[in-house]
Amino acid sequence: MNGNEILRIVDAIHRDKAIDADVVFEGIEQAILSAARKHFSEEEQLEVRIDRETGEPSLICDGRALEADLLGDLLGRISAQTAKQVMIQKIREAERDALYDEYLDLRSQLISGQVTRVDRGTVIVKLDKIEAILPRSEQIRKENFRTGDRLRAIVLDVRKAGSRVRVILSRTHPDFVRRLFEVEIPEVNDRVIEVRSIAREAGNRSKVAVSCSDSTIDCVGACVGVRGARIRGIVEELAGERIDIVRWNDSLSVLVPNALQPADVEDVILCPML
């Protein structure tokens, strides 16, 4: 294994697996070290270094660098299977960490995928690079999914599970409603209209409090759309869940009656101590 060959391996893995080149170099160093230990006593201190520019490996034993010919002979005799196993493990760990970081950045964001199977109520969803899980507890009541269906949800949680990444989706979280508003209502996406608060009973009703920085825009009317065109798409996505859009007010005496509509509020009594 000469320098050029190592550089080709690193470049191929870096491009194909989207793994940082330094991680691949470290994996090869660890593979050579693990295999080389079989030919040295446990008392000897070993260190493997690979030049990042030339790709040439060097083995340091008890502070002395082995001659190139001796190192080449050793690399020719060491266990290729041992080196391969270490490299595979390092690559899998790097792939897992890259996937974890990618989907961790998507937490609370809207994502779409295709249902691959349904197992005892839990829906398995194929995303771009991974299979995610939509548990029964995170599904809207009365929803039924079949293999091949497309669905949208938010990324609720991302966890490392051994050599794999476990992505949990949700369609019941209030942020799912928030993201749908951003998709269906341009003014919300552009931050002209702000979603100030959401209260939700998934499958039954959501109340969404909105405000607008532009006094010439009716924030409630803009969210509803002409003849309810904008809100209709959100309601359909939520399986008929009722959406009440509330005009936000910094005064609780005004906000509470707004939020409780269509009920009529006769009076609001505030307790300053609470």
Side-chain angles (χ1 to χ4, degrees), residues 193-253:
I193 294 176
E194 183 181 356
V195 176
R196 302 294 293 271
S197 183
I198 298 175
R200 187 180 185 204
E201 292 180 359
N204 295 321
R205 179 187 298 233
S206 287
K207 287 184 179 285
V208 183
V210 297
S211 65
C212 185
S213 57
D214 189 341
S215 59
T216 63
I217 296 177
D218 175 12
C219 55
V220 175
C223 291
V224 173
V226 179
R227 297 181 181 177
R230 288 180 170 179
I231 201 66
R232 189 180 303 120
I234 299 175
V235 171
E236 289 174 356
E237 179 67 46
L238 298 177
E241 183 175 317
R242 178 162 181 176
I243 307 292
D244 293 340
I245 301 175
V246 177
R247 197 180 307 277
W248 175 267
N249 195 294
D250 291 326
S251 170
L252 286 176
S253 299

Side-chain angles (χ1 to χ4, degrees), residues 31-259:
I32 295 173
L33 182 61
S34 296
R37 285 194 186 280
K38 296 180 180 295
H39 298 272
F40 292 88
S41 66
E42 294 183 1
E43 291 77 17
E44 291 174 299
Q45 297 294 320
L46 300 178
E47 184 180 354
V48 176
R49 296 175 185 168
I50 296 178
D51 189 292
R52 301 305 194 249
E53 297 295 329
T54 65
E56 290 295 336
S58 61
L59 177 61
I60 300 170
C61 177
D62 290 334
R64 294 184 301 105
L66 268 67
E67 296 180 4
D69 291 342
L70 183 58
L71 177 59
D73 181 55
L74 175 63
L75 291 177
R77 291 187 290 109
I78 63 175
S79 168
Q81 188 63 30
T82 300
K84 181 180 179 181
Q85 288 172 353
V86 174
M87 273 302 301
I88 290 173
Q89 179 66 22
K90 278 286 184 181
I91 290 171
R92 284 176 178 169
E93 289 176 1
E95 284 183 301
R96 179 201 63 187
D97 292 344
L99 275 175
Y100 176 80
D101 291 339
E102 178 179 343
Y103 282 95
L104 193 63
D105 290 340
L106 293 175
R107 196 158 54 178
S108 294
Q109 298 300 313
L110 191 65
I111 199 166
S112 63
Q114 186 173 31
V115 176
T116 56
R117 68 183 186 276
V118 180
D119 183 10
R120 298 179 183 177
T122 298
V123 180
I124 312 302
V125 183
K126 179 70 172 67
L127 305 180
D128 288 338
K129 299 179 181 179
I130 200 171
E131 279 192 336
I133 297 171
L134 178 64
R136 168 61 71 183
S137 59
E138 298 300 329
Q139 298 172 33
I140 299 173
R141 187 169 53 86
K142 298 179 181 179
E143 278 190 324
N144 289 301
F145 295 103
R146 293 178 295 179
T147 301
D149 287 349
R150 299 287 301 181
L151 68 76
R152 292 192 288 182
I154 63 162
V155 177
L156 180 66
D157 195 15
V158 183
R159 306 168 189 164
K160 292 180 182 179
S163 61
R164 301 171 57 202
V165 176
R166 186 181 178 92
V167 177
I168 312 297
L169 305 179
S170 175
R171 287 174 56 84
T172 62
H173 196 281
D175 279 345
F176 184 48
V177 177
R178 186 186 302 273
R179 301 308 172 202
L180 290 175
F181 265 69
E182 291 174 354
V183 169
E184 299 291 340
I185 303 167
E187 291 87 347
V188 175
N189 187 54
D190 295 338
R191 300 295 187 267
V192 176
I193 294 176
E194 183 181 356
V195 176
R196 302 294 293 271
S197 183
I198 298 175
R200 187 180 185 204
E201 292 180 359
N204 295 321
R205 179 187 298 233
S206 287
K207 287 184 179 285
V208 183
V210 297
S211 65
C212 185
S213 57
D214 189 341
S215 59
T216 63
I217 296 177
D218 175 12
C219 55
V220 175
C223 291
V224 173
V226 179
R227 297 181 181 177
R230 288 180 170 179
I231 201 66
R232 189 180 303 120
I234 299 175
V235 171
E236 289 174 356
E237 179 67 46
L238 298 177
E241 183 175 317
R242 178 162 181 176
I243 307 292
D244 293 340
I245 301 175
V246 177
R247 197 180 307 277
W248 175 267
N249 195 294
D250 291 326
S251 170
L252 286 176
S253 299
V254 178
L255 177 61
V256 170
N258 287 349

